[in-house]
Amino acid sequence: EPEVTQTPSHQVTQMGQEVILRCVPISNHLYFYWYRQILGQKVEFLVSFYNNEISEKSEIFDDQFSVERPDGSNFTLKIRSTKLEDSAMYFCASRPDQTYEQYFGPGTRLTVT
Amino acid sequence: QKEVEQDPGPLSVPEGAIVSLNCTYSNSAFQYFMWYRQYSRKGPELLMYTYSSGNKEDGRFTAQVDKSSKYISLFIRDSQPSDSATYLCAISSLGRLYFGRGTQLTVWP
């Protein structure tokens, strides 16, 4: 069964450094998402992406964040200058065109020290 | 913003029990309702998806939606220790998902 994959599974970085989190969505899906989950809190929406552009973003997704689909398979989230409060699990999700259920990857645990 | 409310539990039941998990939501524009299962430090796994009021059954799982009350439920019949996880409700209009806090369920043998 096709699934969303994410790399790395765990990333440790120092405050102020740039990180890139990578995702490979399910191959025939057209809509892509990033969410994050701070330990013990709700899963929160960050951004959605369709047709090579951002379709919606939350108030969390400020200028420090960017997304890109550099080729036909990868979908990336970049955080330019990480802060301690960016420490969280980051989940990529994708969905097909005709329905609205979203399929999530296993997540990347980002630790900012 | 408290778009989706879910009792975090924890909920502890014996094997074989019927489990009822619930969420309420505030925005009547929400049209799509999902239940996810999440194991510790893993990604949410889609269990059920529905977009209409009423019941939808899949094996031991039944999802129920009452749009007039803005209330959704997930029932698990004949619960098993392997059902022990956190269950998240997620609700959407056309794009982003709004998640509940998740209910932590333990099924003991």
Side-chain angles (χ1 to χ4, degrees):
Chain A
E1 189 168 324
E3 56 184 22
V4 177
T5 59
Q6 290 184 244
T7 53
S9 57
H10 188 195
Q11 174 92 49
V12 182
T13 189
Q14 289 191 325
M15 197 166 52
Q17 295 297 301
E18 174 182 288
V19 294
I20 298 176
L21 310 182
R22 302 181 193 280
C23 168
V24 179
I26 294 172
S27 63
N28 62 343
H29 287 189
L30 300 179
Y31 295 81
F32 313 115
Y33 305 85
W34 283 102
Y35 293 82
R36 78 172 186 191
Q37 186 177 31
I38 295 170
L39 191 61
Q41 298 189 23
K42 287 185 180 186
V43 176
E44 302 174 287
F45 168 79
L46 292 176
V47 66
S48 59
F49 192 85
Y50 170 72
N51 200 25
N52 282 320
E53 58 183 31
I54 290 173
S55 46
E56 187 181 2
K57 59 183 180 179
S58 73
E59 59 280 359
I60 301 168
F61 194 89
D62 62 21
D63 292 344
Q64 294 300 311
F65 292 87
S66 62
V67 289
E68 195 177 38
R69 187 152 162 83
D71 54 43
S73 59
N74 290 283
F75 179 50
T76 62
L77 174 69
K78 184 194 292 186
I79 309 176
R80 273 184 257 286
S81 177
T82 50
K83 308 184 190 69
L84 293 175
E85 54 265 35
D86 293 327
S87 294
M89 285 288 285
Y90 287 80
F91 296 110
C92 174
S94 68
R95 73 166 175 90
D97 187 28
Q98 300 299 322
T99 64
Y100 292 92
E101 72 266 38
Q102 296 179 22
Y103 295 87
F104 282 72
T108 293
R109 181 155 62 103
L110 177 65
T111 302
V112 182
T113 61
Chain B
Q1 270 187 331
K2 298 190 177 180
E3 300 278 0
V4 181
E5 295 286 339
Q6 182 177 11
D7 186 341
L11 188 60
S12 180
V13 301
E15 184 174 355
I18 297 174
V19 175
S20 171
L21 305 165
N22 310 294
C23 287
T24 58
Y25 61 96
S26 56
N27 190 340
S28 57
F30 288 146
Q31 301 174 45
Y32 303 97
F33 308 94
M34 280 149 270
W35 285 96
Y36 289 86
R37 178 172 61 197
Q38 186 178 31
Y39 296 108
S40 181
R41 293 183 180 261
K42 303 292 184 186
E45 174 195 355
L46 182 64
L47 284 177
M48 300 286 285
Y49 162 69
T50 184
Y51 52 86
S52 57
S53 282
N55 293 352
K56 181 178 180 180
E57 191 172 313
D58 184 1
R60 296 184 295 110
F61 298 90
T62 300
Q64 190 175 79
V65 174
D66 182 346
K67 288 187 178 181
S68 62
S69 302
K70 300 192 187 71
Y71 191 89
I72 67 171
S73 300
L74 178 71
F75 298 96
I76 308 174
R77 286 185 301 283
D78 187 25
S79 55
Q80 303 295 309
S82 57
D83 294 329
S84 298
T86 296
Y87 290 80
L88 310 172
C89 61
I91 306 179
S92 172
S93 53
L94 289 176
R96 65 190 290 181
L97 293 178
Y98 295 86
F99 280 86
R101 287 179 58 89
T103 300
Q104 187 181 345
L105 171 69
T106 300
V107 182
W108 42 274

Coordinates of all heavy atoms in Angstrom, one line a residue, chain B residues 7-95:
Chain B
D7 N -12.2 15.3 24.7 CA -11.8 14.9 26.0 C -10.5 14.1 25.9 O -10.5 13.1 25.3 CB -12.9 14.1 26.7 CG -12.5 13.8 28.2 OD1 -11.3 13.9 28.6 OD2 -13.5 13.5 28.9
P8 N -9.4 14.6 26.5 CA -8.1 13.9 26.4 C -8.0 12.5 27.2 O -7.1 11.8 26.9 CB -7.1 14.9 26.9 CG -7.9 15.7 27.9 CD -9.2 15.8 27.3
G9 N -9.0 12.3 28.0 CA -8.9 11.1 28.8 C -7.9 11.2 29.9 O -7.8 12.3 30.5
P10 N -7.2 10.2 30.3 CA -7.1 8.9 29.7 C -8.3 8.0 29.9 O -9.0 8.2 30.9 CB -5.8 8.3 30.2 CG -5.7 8.9 31.6 CD -6.3 10.2 31.5
L11 N -8.5 7.1 29.0 CA -9.6 6.1 29.1 C -9.0 4.7 29.1 O -8.2 4.4 28.3 CB -10.5 6.3 27.8 CG -11.8 5.5 27.6 CD1 -12.7 5.9 28.7 CD2 -12.4 5.8 26.3
S12 N -9.4 4.0 30.1 CA -8.9 2.6 30.3 C -10.0 1.6 30.4 O -10.9 1.8 31.2 CB -8.1 2.6 31.6 OG -7.5 1.3 31.9
V13 N -10.0 0.6 29.5 CA -11.1 -0.3 29.5 C -10.6 -1.7 29.4 O -9.4 -2.0 29.0 CB -12.0 -0.1 28.2 CG1 -12.6 1.3 28.3 CG2 -11.3 -0.3 27.0
P14 N -11.4 -2.7 29.8 CA -11.0 -4.1 29.7 C -11.1 -4.6 28.2 O -12.0 -4.1 27.5 CB -11.9 -4.9 30.6 CG -13.1 -4.1 30.7 CD -12.7 -2.6 30.5
E15 N -10.4 -5.6 27.8 CA -10.5 -6.2 26.5 C -11.9 -6.7 26.3 O -12.6 -7.2 27.2 CB -9.5 -7.4 26.5 CG -9.5 -8.1 25.1 CD -8.4 -9.2 25.1 OE1 -7.7 -9.3 26.1 OE2 -8.4 -9.9 24.1
G16 N -12.4 -6.4 25.1 CA -13.8 -6.8 24.8 C -14.8 -5.7 25.0 O -16.0 -5.8 24.5
A17 N -14.5 -4.6 25.7 CA -15.4 -3.6 26.0 C -15.7 -2.8 24.7 O -15.0 -2.8 23.7 CB -14.8 -2.6 27.0
I18 N -16.9 -2.1 24.7 CA -17.2 -1.1 23.7 C -16.7 0.2 24.1 O -16.9 0.7 25.2 CB -18.7 -1.1 23.4 CG1 -19.2 -2.4 22.9 CG2 -19.0 0.1 22.4 CD1 -20.7 -2.5 22.8
V19 N -15.9 0.9 23.2 CA -15.3 2.2 23.5 C -16.1 3.2 22.7 O -16.4 3.1 21.5 CB -13.8 2.2 23.1 CG1 -13.2 3.6 23.3 CG2 -13.1 1.1 24.0
S20 N -16.3 4.4 23.4 CA -17.0 5.5 22.7 C -16.0 6.7 22.9 O -15.7 7.1 24.0 CB -18.3 5.8 23.4 OG -18.9 7.0 22.9
L21 N -15.7 7.3 21.8 CA -14.8 8.5 21.7 C -15.6 9.6 21.0 O -16.3 9.3 20.0 CB -13.5 8.2 21.0 CG -12.7 7.0 21.5 CD1 -11.7 6.5 20.4 CD2 -12.1 7.3 22.8
N22 N -15.4 10.8 21.5 CA -16.3 11.9 21.1 C -15.6 13.2 20.8 O -14.6 13.5 21.5 CB -17.4 12.1 22.1 CG -18.1 10.9 22.5 OD1 -18.8 10.2 21.7 ND2 -17.9 10.5 23.8
C23 N -16.1 14.0 19.9 CA -15.6 15.3 19.7 C -16.8 16.2 19.4 O -17.8 15.8 18.8 CB -14.7 15.4 18.5 SG -13.0 14.6 18.8
T24 N -16.6 17.5 19.8 CA -17.6 18.5 19.4 C -16.8 19.6 18.5 O -15.6 19.7 18.7 CB -18.3 19.2 20.6 OG1 -17.3 19.8 21.4 CG2 -19.1 18.2 21.4
Y25 N -17.6 20.3 17.7 CA -16.9 21.3 16.9 C -17.8 22.5 16.8 O -19.0 22.4 17.1 CB -16.6 20.8 15.5 CG -17.7 20.3 14.6 CD1 -18.3 21.1 13.7 CD2 -18.2 19.0 14.8 CE1 -19.4 20.7 12.9 CE2 -19.3 18.6 14.0 CZ -19.8 19.4 13.1 OH -20.9 19.0 12.3
S26 N -17.2 23.6 16.4 CA -18.0 24.9 16.6 C -18.5 25.4 15.2 O -19.4 26.2 15.1 CB -17.1 25.9 17.2 OG -15.9 26.1 16.6
N27 N -17.7 25.1 14.1 CA -18.0 25.7 12.8 C -18.9 24.9 12.0 O -18.5 23.8 11.6 CB -16.6 25.9 12.1 CG -16.8 26.8 10.9 OD1 -17.8 27.0 10.3 ND2 -15.6 27.4 10.5
S28 N -20.1 25.4 11.7 CA -21.0 24.6 10.9 C -20.6 24.4 9.4 O -21.2 23.7 8.7 CB -22.4 25.2 10.9 OG -22.4 26.6 10.5
A29 N -19.5 25.1 9.0 CA -19.0 25.0 7.6 C -18.2 23.7 7.5 O -17.9 23.3 6.3 CB -18.2 26.2 7.3
F30 N -17.9 23.1 8.6 CA -17.1 21.8 8.5 C -17.9 20.8 7.8 O -19.1 20.6 8.2 CB -16.6 21.4 9.9 CG -15.6 22.2 10.5 CD1 -15.5 22.4 11.9 CD2 -14.6 22.7 9.7 CE1 -14.5 23.1 12.4 CE2 -13.5 23.5 10.3 CZ -13.5 23.7 11.7
Q31 N -17.3 20.0 6.9 CA -18.1 19.1 6.1 C -17.5 17.7 6.2 O -18.2 16.7 5.8 CB -18.1 19.5 4.7 CG -18.7 20.9 4.4 CD -18.6 21.3 3.0 OE1 -18.8 20.5 2.1 NE2 -18.2 22.5 2.7
Y32 N -16.2 17.6 6.5 CA -15.5 16.3 6.4 C -14.9 15.9 7.7 O -14.3 16.7 8.4 CB -14.4 16.4 5.3 CG -14.9 16.9 4.0 CD1 -14.9 18.2 3.6 CD2 -15.5 16.0 3.1 CE1 -15.4 18.6 2.4 CE2 -16.1 16.4 1.9 CZ -16.0 17.7 1.6 OH -16.6 18.1 0.4
F33 N -15.1 14.7 8.1 CA -14.8 14.2 9.4 C -14.0 13.0 9.4 O -14.3 12.0 8.7 CB -16.2 13.9 10.2 CG -17.1 15.1 10.1 CD1 -18.1 15.1 9.1 CD2 -17.0 16.1 11.0 CE1 -18.9 16.2 9.0 CE2 -17.9 17.2 10.9 CZ -18.9 17.2 9.9
M34 N -12.9 13.0 10.1 CA -12.0 11.9 10.1 C -11.6 11.5 11.5 O -11.6 12.3 12.4 CB -10.7 12.3 9.4 CG -10.8 12.2 7.8 SD -9.8 13.4 7.0 CE -11.0 14.8 6.9
W35 N -11.3 10.3 11.7 CA -10.7 9.7 12.9 C -9.3 9.1 12.6 O -9.2 8.4 11.6 CB -11.6 8.7 13.6 CG -12.7 9.3 14.2 CD1 -14.0 9.4 13.7 CD2 -12.8 9.8 15.6 NE1 -14.8 10.0 14.6 CE2 -14.1 10.3 15.8 CE3 -11.9 9.9 16.6 CZ2 -14.5 10.8 17.0 CZ3 -12.3 10.5 17.8 CH2 -13.6 10.9 18.0
Y36 N -8.3 9.5 13.4 CA -7.0 9.0 13.2 C -6.6 8.3 14.5 O -7.0 8.6 15.6 CB -6.0 10.1 13.0 CG -6.1 10.8 11.6 CD1 -7.0 11.8 11.4 CD2 -5.3 10.3 10.5 CE1 -7.1 12.4 10.1 CE2 -5.3 10.9 9.3 CZ -6.3 12.0 9.1 OH -6.3 12.5 7.8
R37 N -5.7 7.3 14.3 CA -5.1 6.6 15.5 C -3.6 7.0 15.4 O -3.0 7.0 14.4 CB -5.2 5.1 15.3 CG -4.6 4.3 16.4 CD -5.0 2.8 16.3 NE -4.6 2.2 15.0 CZ -5.1 1.1 14.5 NH1 -6.0 0.4 15.2 NH2 -4.7 0.6 13.4
Q38 N -3.1 7.3 16.6 CA -1.7 7.7 16.7 C -1.0 7.0 17.8 O -1.4 7.1 19.0 CB -1.6 9.2 16.9 CG -0.1 9.7 16.8 CD 0.0 11.2 17.0 OE1 -0.8 11.9 17.7 NE2 1.0 11.8 16.4
Y39 N 0.0 6.2 17.5 CA 0.9 5.6 18.5 C 2.0 6.6 18.9 O 2.3 7.6 18.1 CB 1.5 4.3 18.0 CG 0.5 3.3 17.7 CD1 0.1 2.9 16.4 CD2 -0.2 2.6 18.7 CE1 -0.8 1.9 16.1 CE2 -1.2 1.7 18.5 CZ -1.5 1.3 17.1 OH -2.4 0.4 16.9
S40 N 2.5 6.4 20.1 CA 3.5 7.4 20.6 C 4.6 7.7 19.6 O 5.3 6.8 19.1 CB 4.0 6.8 21.9 OG 4.9 7.7 22.5
R41 N 4.8 9.0 19.4 CA 5.8 9.5 18.5 C 5.8 9.0 17.1 O 6.8 8.8 16.4 CB 7.2 9.3 19.1 CG 7.4 10.1 20.4 CD 8.8 9.9 21.0 NE 9.0 10.7 22.2 CZ 9.7 11.8 22.2 NH1 10.1 12.4 21.1 NH2 9.8 12.5 23.4
K42 N 4.6 8.6 16.6 CA 4.4 8.2 15.3 C 3.4 9.1 14.6 O 2.7 10.0 15.2 CB 3.8 6.8 15.2 CG 4.7 5.7 15.9 CD 6.0 5.5 15.2 CE 6.8 4.4 15.9 NZ 8.1 4.3 15.3
G43 N 3.2 9.0 13.2 CA 2.3 9.8 12.5 C 0.9 9.3 12.7 O 0.6 8.1 12.9
P44 N -0.1 10.2 12.5 CA -1.5 9.8 12.6 C -1.9 8.9 11.4 O -1.5 9.1 10.3 CB -2.3 11.1 12.5 CG -1.3 12.2 12.8 CD 0.1 11.7 12.4
E45 N -2.6 7.8 11.8 CA -3.0 6.8 10.8 C -4.5 6.9 10.6 O -5.3 6.9 11.6 CB -2.7 5.4 11.4 CG -3.2 4.3 10.5 CD -3.1 2.9 11.3 OE1 -2.6 2.9 12.4 OE2 -3.6 1.9 10.8
L46 N -4.9 7.1 9.4 CA -6.3 7.3 9.1 C -7.1 6.1 9.3 O -6.8 5.0 8.8 CB -6.5 7.8 7.6 CG -7.9 8.1 7.2 CD1 -8.5 9.3 7.9 CD2 -8.0 8.4 5.7
L47 N -8.2 6.2 10.2 CA -9.1 5.1 10.5 C -10.4 5.2 9.7 O -10.8 4.2 9.1 CB -9.4 5.0 12.0 CG -8.3 4.5 12.9 CD1 -8.8 4.6 14.4 CD2 -8.0 3.1 12.6
M48 N -11.0 6.3 9.8 CA -12.4 6.5 9.2 C -12.5 7.9 8.6 O -11.9 8.9 9.1 CB -13.4 6.4 10.3 CG -13.4 5.0 11.1 SD -14.1 3.7 10.1 CE -15.9 4.1 10.1
Y49 N -13.2 8.0 7.6 CA -13.5 9.2 6.9 C -14.9 9.3 6.5 O -15.4 8.3 5.9 CB -12.6 9.3 5.6 CG -13.0 10.3 4.6 CD1 -12.9 11.7 4.9 CD2 -13.4 10.0 3.4 CE1 -13.3 12.6 3.9 CE2 -13.8 10.9 2.4 CZ -13.7 12.2 2.7 OH -14.1 13.2 1.8
T50 N -15.6 10.3 6.8 CA -17.0 10.5 6.4 C -17.4 11.9 6.2 O -16.7 12.8 6.7 CB -18.0 9.8 7.4 OG1 -19.3 9.9 7.0 CG2 -17.9 10.6 8.8
Y51 N -18.4 12.2 5.4 CA -18.8 13.5 5.1 C -20.3 13.8 5.2 O -20.8 14.8 4.9 CB -18.3 14.0 3.7 CG -18.7 13.0 2.6 CD1 -20.0 13.1 2.0 CD2 -17.9 12.0 2.2 CE1 -20.4 12.2 1.0 CE2 -18.3 11.1 1.2 CZ -19.6 11.2 0.6 OH -19.9 10.4 -0.3
S52 N -21.0 12.8 5.8 CA -22.4 13.1 5.9 C -22.8 12.7 7.3 O -22.2 11.9 8.0 CB -23.1 12.2 4.9 OG -22.8 10.9 5.0
S53 N -24.0 13.2 7.7 CA -24.5 12.8 9.0 C -24.9 11.3 8.9 O -25.3 10.8 7.9 CB -25.8 13.6 9.3 OG -25.4 14.9 9.8
G54 N -24.9 10.6 10.1 CA -25.2 9.2 10.1 C -24.1 8.4 10.5 O -23.1 8.9 11.1
N55 N -24.2 7.1 10.3 CA -23.2 6.1 10.7 C -22.4 5.6 9.5 O -23.0 5.4 8.5 CB -23.8 5.0 11.5 CG -24.4 5.4 12.8 OD1 -24.2 6.5 13.2 ND2 -25.2 4.5 13.4
K56 N -21.1 5.3 9.8 CA -20.3 4.6 8.8 C -19.5 3.5 9.5 O -18.9 3.8 10.5 CB -19.3 5.5 8.1 CG -18.5 4.8 7.0 CD -17.6 5.8 6.3 CE -16.7 5.1 5.3 NZ -15.8 6.1 4.6
E57 N -19.7 2.3 9.1 CA -19.1 1.1 9.8 C -17.9 0.6 8.9 O -18.0 0.5 7.7 CB -20.1 0.1 10.0 CG -19.7 -1.0 10.9 CD -20.9 -1.9 11.2 OE1 -22.0 -1.4 11.5 OE2 -20.7 -3.2 11.1
D58 N -16.8 0.2 9.7 CA -15.7 -0.5 9.0 C -15.2 -1.5 10.0 O -14.4 -1.1 10.9 CB -14.7 0.5 8.6 CG -13.5 -0.2 7.8 OD1 -13.5 -1.4 7.6 OD2 -12.6 0.5 7.4
G59 N -15.6 -2.8 9.9 CA -15.1 -3.8 10.8 C -15.6 -3.5 12.2 O -16.8 -3.3 12.5
R60 N -14.7 -3.4 13.2 CA -15.1 -3.1 14.6 C -15.3 -1.6 14.8 O -15.7 -1.3 16.0 CB -14.0 -3.7 15.5 CG -13.8 -5.2 15.4 CD -12.8 -5.7 16.5 NE -11.4 -5.2 16.2 CZ -10.8 -4.3 17.0 NH1 -11.4 -3.8 18.1 NH2 -9.6 -3.9 16.7
F61 N -15.1 -0.8 13.9 CA -15.2 0.7 14.1 C -16.4 1.2 13.4 O -16.8 0.9 12.3 CB -13.9 1.3 13.4 CG -12.6 0.9 14.1 CD1 -11.9 -0.1 13.6 CD2 -12.1 1.6 15.2 CE1 -10.7 -0.5 14.2 CE2 -10.9 1.3 15.8 CZ -10.2 0.2 15.3
T62 N -17.1 2.1 14.1 CA -18.2 2.9 13.6 C -18.0 4.3 13.9 O -17.8 4.7 15.0 CB -19.5 2.4 14.2 OG1 -19.8 1.0 14.0 CG2 -20.7 3.2 13.7
A63 N -18.1 5.1 12.8 CA -18.0 6.6 13.0 C -19.4 7.1 12.8 O -20.2 6.7 12.0 CB -17.1 7.2 11.9
Q64 N -19.8 8.1 13.7 CA -21.1 8.6 13.7 C -21.0 10.2 13.7 O -20.1 10.7 14.4 CB -21.8 8.2 15.0 CG -23.2 8.5 15.1 CD -23.8 7.9 16.4 OE1 -23.7 8.5 17.5 NE2 -24.5 6.8 16.3
V65 N -21.8 10.8 12.9 CA -21.7 12.2 12.7 C -23.1 12.8 12.9 O -24.1 12.3 12.3 CB -21.2 12.7 11.3 CG1 -21.3 14.2 11.2 CG2 -19.8 12.2 11.1
D66 N -23.3 13.8 13.8 CA -24.5 14.5 14.0 C -24.3 16.0 13.7 O -23.8 16.7 14.6 CB -25.0 14.3 15.4 CG -26.4 15.0 15.6 OD1 -26.8 15.8 14.8 OD2 -27.0 14.7 16.7
K67 N -24.5 16.4 12.5 CA -24.2 17.8 12.1 C -25.1 18.8 12.8 O -24.7 19.9 13.1 CB -24.3 18.0 10.6 CG -23.2 17.3 9.8 CD -23.3 17.7 8.3 CE -22.2 17.1 7.5 NZ -22.3 17.4 6.1
S68 N -26.3 18.4 13.2 CA -27.2 19.4 13.8 C -26.7 19.7 15.2 O -26.8 20.8 15.7 CB -28.6 18.8 13.9 OG -28.6 17.6 14.7
S69 N -26.0 18.7 15.9 CA -25.5 18.9 17.2 C -24.0 19.3 17.2 O -23.4 19.5 18.2 CB -25.7 17.7 18.1 OG -27.0 17.4 18.2
K70 N -23.4 19.2 16.0 CA -21.9 19.4 15.8 C -21.2 18.4 16.7 O -20.3 18.9 17.5 CB -21.5 20.9 16.1 CG -22.2 21.9 15.2 CD -21.6 23.2 15.3 CE -22.3 24.3 14.5 NZ -23.6 24.7 15.1
Y71 N -21.5 17.2 16.6 CA -21.0 16.1 17.5 C -20.6 14.9 16.6 O -21.4 14.5 15.8 CB -22.1 15.8 18.4 CG -21.7 14.9 19.6 CD1 -21.3 15.5 20.8 CD2 -21.8 13.5 19.6 CE1 -20.9 14.7 21.9 CE2 -21.5 12.8 20.7 CZ -21.1 13.4 21.8 OH -20.7 12.6 22.9
I72 N -19.4 14.4 16.8 CA -19.0 13.2 16.1 C -18.5 12.2 17.1 O -17.9 12.6 18.2 CB -17.9 13.5 15.1 CG1 -16.6 13.9 15.7 CG2 -18.4 14.5 14.1 CD1 -15.4 14.0 14.6
S73 N -18.6 10.9 16.8 CA -18.2 9.8 17.7 C -17.5 8.8 16.9 O -17.8 8.6 15.7 CB -19.4 9.2 18.4 OG -20.1 10.2 19.1
L74 N -16.7 8.0 17.6 CA -16.1 6.8 17.1 C -16.3 5.7 18.1 O -16.0 5.9 19.3 CB -14.6 7.0 16.9 CG -13.9 5.7 16.4 CD1 -14.2 5.4 14.9 CD2 -12.3 5.8 16.5
F75 N -16.9 4.6 17.7 CA -17.2 3.5 18.5 C -16.3 2.3 18.1 O -16.1 2.1 16.9 CB -18.6 3.0 18.4 CG -19.6 4.1 18.9 CD1 -20.2 4.9 17.9 CD2 -19.9 4.2 20.2 CE1 -21.1 5.9 18.3 CE2 -20.8 5.2 20.6 CZ -21.4 6.0 19.7
I76 N -15.7 1.7 19.1 CA -14.8 0.5 18.9 C -15.5 -0.6 19.6 O -15.6 -0.6 20.8 CB -13.4 0.7 19.4 CG1 -12.8 2.0 18.8 CG2 -12.5 -0.5 19.0 CD1 -11.4 2.3 19.4
R77 N -15.9 -1.7 18.8 CA -16.5 -2.9 19.4 C -15.4 -3.9 19.7 O -14.4 -3.9 19.0 CB -17.5 -3.5 18.4 CG -18.8 -2.7 18.3 CD -19.8 -3.5 17.4 NE -19.2 -3.7 16.1 CZ -19.2 -2.8 15.2 NH1 -19.6 -1.5 15.4 NH2 -18.7 -3.0 14.0
D78 N -15.7 -4.7 20.7 CA -14.7 -5.8 21.0 C -13.3 -5.3 21.0 O -12.4 -5.8 20.3 CB -14.9 -7.0 19.9 CG -14.1 -8.2 20.3 OD1 -13.8 -8.4 21.5 OD2 -13.7 -8.9 19.3
S79 N -13.1 -4.3 21.9 CA -11.7 -3.7 21.9 C -10.6 -4.7 22.3 O -10.9 -5.6 23.0 CB -11.8 -2.5 22.9 OG -12.2 -2.9 24.1
Q80 N -9.5 -4.5 21.7 CA -8.3 -5.3 21.8 C -7.1 -4.5 22.4 O -7.1 -3.3 22.2 CB -7.9 -5.9 20.5 CG -9.0 -6.6 19.7 CD -9.4 -7.9 20.5 OE1 -8.5 -8.7 20.8 NE2 -10.7 -8.1 20.7
P81 N -6.2 -5.2 23.1 CA -5.0 -4.5 23.6 C -4.3 -3.7 22.5 O -3.7 -2.6 22.8 CB -4.2 -5.6 24.2 CG -5.2 -6.6 24.7 CD -6.3 -6.6 23.6
S82 N -4.3 -4.2 21.3 CA -3.7 -3.6 20.2 C -4.4 -2.2 19.8 O -3.8 -1.5 19.0 CB -3.6 -4.5 19.0 OG -4.9 -4.9 18.6
D83 N -5.6 -2.0 20.3 CA -6.3 -0.7 20.0 C -5.7 0.4 20.9 O -6.1 1.5 20.8 CB -7.8 -0.9 20.3 CG -8.4 -1.8 19.3 OD1 -8.0 -1.9 18.1 OD2 -9.4 -2.5 19.7
S84 N -4.9 0.0 21.9 CA -4.3 1.0 22.8 C -3.5 2.0 22.0 O -2.5 1.7 21.4 CB -3.5 0.4 23.9 OG -4.2 -0.5 24.6
A85 N -3.9 3.3 22.0 CA -3.3 4.4 21.3 C -4.0 5.7 21.6 O -4.9 5.7 22.4 CB -3.4 4.1 19.8
T86 N -3.6 6.7 21.0 CA -4.3 8.0 21.1 C -5.2 8.2 19.8 O -4.7 8.0 18.7 CB -3.3 9.2 21.2 OG1 -2.6 9.0 22.5 CG2 -4.1 10.5 21.3
Y87 N -6.4 8.5 20.0 CA -7.4 8.7 18.9 C -7.7 10.1 18.7 O -8.1 10.8 19.7 CB -8.7 7.9 19.2 CG -8.4 6.4 19.1 CD1 -7.8 5.7 20.1 CD2 -8.7 5.7 17.9 CE1 -7.5 4.3 20.0 CE2 -8.4 4.3 17.8 CZ -7.8 3.7 18.9 OH -7.5 2.3 18.8
L88 N -7.5 10.6 17.5 CA -7.6 12.0 17.2 C -8.8 12.2 16.2 O -8.9 11.5 15.2 CB -6.4 12.5 16.4 CG -5.0 12.3 17.0 CD1 -3.9 12.7 16.1 CD2 -4.9 13.0 18.3
C89 N -9.7 13.1 16.6 CA -10.7 13.5 15.6 C -10.1 14.6 14.8 O -9.3 15.4 15.3 CB -12.0 13.9 16.2 SG -11.9 15.3 17.3
A90 N -10.5 14.7 13.5 CA -10.0 15.8 12.6 C -11.1 16.2 11.7 O -11.8 15.4 11.2 CB -8.8 15.4 11.8
I91 N -11.3 17.5 11.6 CA -12.4 18.0 10.9 C -12.0 19.1 9.9 O -11.0 19.8 10.2 CB -13.5 18.6 11.9 CG1 -13.8 17.5 12.9 CG2 -14.7 19.1 11.1 CD1 -14.8 18.0 14.0
S92 N -12.6 19.1 8.7 CA -12.2 20.0 7.7 C -13.4 20.6 6.9 O -14.4 20.1 6.9 CB -11.3 19.2 6.7 OG -11.0 19.9 5.5
S93 N -13.1 21.8 6.4 CA -14.1 22.3 5.4 C -13.6 21.9 4.0 O -14.1 20.9 3.5 CB -14.2 23.8 5.5 OG -13.0 24.5 5.4
L94 N -12.6 22.5 3.4 CA -12.1 22.1 2.1 C -10.6 21.9 2.1 O -10.1 21.5 1.1 CB -12.5 23.2 1.1 CG -14.0 23.2 0.7 CD1 -14.2 24.4 -0.3 CD2 -14.5 21.9 0.1
G95 N -10.0 22.2 3.2 CA -8.5 22.1 3.1 C -7.9 21.6 4.4 O -7.8 20.4 4.7

